[in-house]
Amino acid sequence: MRLLYFAWVRERVGKTDEDISPPADVRTVAELMEWLAGRGEEYAYAFENRKVIRAAIDRNHVRPDTAIAGAREIAFFPPMTGG
Amino acid sequence: MRLLYFAWVRERVGKTDEDISPPADVRTVAELMEWLAGRGEEYAYAFENRKVIRAAIDRNHVRPDTAIAGAREIAFFPPMTGG
Amino acid sequence: MNATIRLQREDFDAAAESAKLSRGRTDIGALVTFTGICRDNESGHGVAAMTLEHYPGMAEEEITRHVKDAQARWPLMGVTVIHRYGRMTPGDNIVLVVTASAHREAAFEAANYLMDFLKTKAPFWKLEERPDGKNWVDAKSADDEAAQRWRT
Amino acid sequence: MNATIRLQREDFDAAAESAKLSRGRTDIGALVTFTGICRDNESGHGVAAMTLEHYPGMAEEEITRHVKDAQARWPLMGVTVIHRYGRMTPGDNIVLVVTASAHREAAFEAANYLMDFLKTKAPFWKLEERPDGKNWVDAKSADDEAAQRWRT
């Protein structure tokens, strides 16, 4: 699946997007963030305060307990500040 | 004092304005309307349904029980429909 | 505070009036422009034209009072109110309210407030030309109720 | 229903967009135009410029969803939403919402609703350039509360 990062999540991870294949026991958005946080210093920093990070699966806002099965594109970003 | 009429009050009275000198016992806006209604057929028609007619004294909205003493300009008109 | 209040027979240019409020400024974050337009239909019957009568002098004073109220209630950086009188046909502009503020809520609420008061307190009366003749438009209780919500 | 949704780097012409919605029509009674502008000051600190980042694809989809919601809630005759991205300096336009309806309440409420959702749900992020460096703008709880009031 493809991951996208925006705003300070992108800055901390150090990339705009990447393709990943998490292990089968990573089932939800929250579990995916936890798994990502263990992938290295920059990920640990980006996902250190996971409660404030929002996610979208295939361009729809989702909650942390949403299953990631079947997702093509998952995005992580801070709360939106448009308008 | 000067009276002004607007919209259908003006059409019914048949004039835009006039100077009047009501008797001393005509003290309030409501009493003035009652006195005007007795001045002839066109006034009786204009002021037949006095509850819906609004008044302004010297360009400020007033209630029927407002005293008319000292007024220079009193206007009668239907509820406003601007905007 | 930049306040412009005009009653006029001529049409107005909503875009130019709105640009005037914000031009050259960098402190305005929100600009709301409301344009009221003459419609060809009112509650199901056709309207060929409409004549707006007003009380000269009082109309300006009443609008000025409500613009001052709006300035006291919200942190506004500019307000423009233009109300036309005379005969208008469908598609013609009738009224313009522009509000400028640092924040959107103030701009939206002040514009809404001013429109509610123009509808219910400003001395204007509409004479419609319908297929069945001329008719003075009745005041709407919905407009009175809308104006009531600001009385707190 | 006439709906225009655009994300663009270039500036927009609020007046031309608003005129486009009403031109040649005689059924529109109320036109509300909201323009959001880059300010030189945010909560007391100076802002020299601001860069708006967005999630291409999702931003359009999310705005489209809320425009459809607005159409379902209010009798609208036209809606235009334009949101810019890229770097802006104080005084530059950021966002435009135009709503057209027969009646003023629908036009005001729909514009207000769309702005509340652009602030809280559309995937845009603001990076401010302040005297003390660059800073990602924090989401405001007041914006979340404003969006909450439509959840009925």
Side-chain angles (χ1 to χ4, degrees), chain D residues 1-6 17-18 20-22 25 28 30-33 63-82 96-101 106-107 109-115 118:
Chain D
M1 231 283 309
N2 196 344
T4 300
I5 294 162
R6 289 209 311 271
E17 297 298 336
S18 147
K20 242 185 253 174
L21 275 195
S22 59
R25 295 187 67 153
I28 291 173
L31 195 64
V32 169
T33 304
I63 294 173
T64 302
R65 281 191 278 271
H66 289 298
V67 166
K68 284 183 180 164
D69 278 354
Q71 290 174 235
R73 279 169 174 255
W74 294 282
L76 300 176
M77 291 162 171
V79 177
T80 297
V81 177
I82 300 177
L96 176 73
V97 170
V98 190
T99 53
S101 179
E109 293 200 358
N112 215 333
Y113 171 91
L114 287 168
M115 279 309 304
L118 286 171

Side-chain angles (χ1 to χ4, degrees), chain B residues 2 4-12 16 54-62 73-83, chain C residues 36 52-58 61-62 65 83 94-95 115 118-127 136-140 144:
Chain B
R2 185 157 205 78
L4 303 176
Y5 307 110
F6 293 99
W8 55 255
V9 180
R10 169 184 58 71
E11 285 183 338
R12 291 180 181 191
T16 59
R54 310 291 181 92
I57 293 184
D58 296 333
R59 302 177 173 179
N60 284 284
H61 292 294
V62 293
E73 182 176 298
I74 303 186
F76 292 105
F77 41 77
M80 287 71 74
T81 56
Chain C
L52 262 146
E53 178 170 333
H54 77 298
Y55 181 171
M58 180 171 169
E61 289 177 19
E62 190 66 17
R65 281 191 278 271
H83 205 306
I94 300 174
V95 60
M115 279 309 303
L118 286 171
K119 289 265 175 194
T120 56
K121 290 286 188 176
F124 289 87
W125 301 273
K126 289 188 181 121
L127 180 68
W136 289 101
V137 174
D138 280 332
K140 293 197 186 96
D144 286 329

Side-chain angles (χ1 to χ4, degrees), chain D residues 30-46:
Chain D
L31 195 64
V32 169
T33 304
F34 177 89
T35 313
I37 301 166
C38 180
R39 271 177 297 133
D40 59 9
N41 193 288
E42 175 60 45
S43 317
H45 60 77

Side-chain angles (χ1 to χ4, degrees), chain C residues 15-138:
Chain C
E17 296 297 335
S18 146
K20 243 186 254 175
L21 275 194
S22 59
R23 191 175 301 131
R25 296 186 67 152
T26 54
D27 56 347
I28 291 174
L31 194 65
V32 169
T33 303
F34 176 89
T35 313
I37 301 166
C38 180
R39 272 176 297 133
D40 59 9
N41 192 288
E42 175 61 46
S43 315
H45 61 77
V47 176
M50 174 180 280
T51 299
L52 262 146
E53 178 170 333
H54 77 298
Y55 181 171
M58 180 171 169
E60 290 88 336
E61 289 177 19
E62 190 66 17
I63 294 173
T64 302
R65 281 191 278 271
H66 290 298
V67 166
K68 284 183 181 163
D69 279 355
Q71 290 174 236
R73 279 169 175 255
W74 294 283
L76 300 176
M77 290 161 171
V79 177
T80 297
V81 177
I82 301 176
H83 205 306
R84 294 180 65 197
Y85 55 83
R87 188 166 179 275
M88 284 148 224
T89 54
D92 285 352
N93 290 323
I94 300 174
V95 60
L96 176 73
V97 170
V98 190
T99 54
S101 179
H103 300 284
R104 77 186 187 288
E105 282 310 324
F108 265 124
E109 293 200 357
N112 217 331
Y113 171 90
L114 287 168
M115 279 309 303
D116 281 346
F117 277 95
L118 286 171
K119 289 265 175 194
T120 56
K121 290 286 188 176
F124 289 87
W125 301 273
K126 289 188 181 121
L127 180 68
E128 281 178 355
E129 296 172 34
R130 303 186 189 185
D132 59 347
K134 293 189 178 187
N135 176 65
W136 289 101
V137 174
D138 280 332

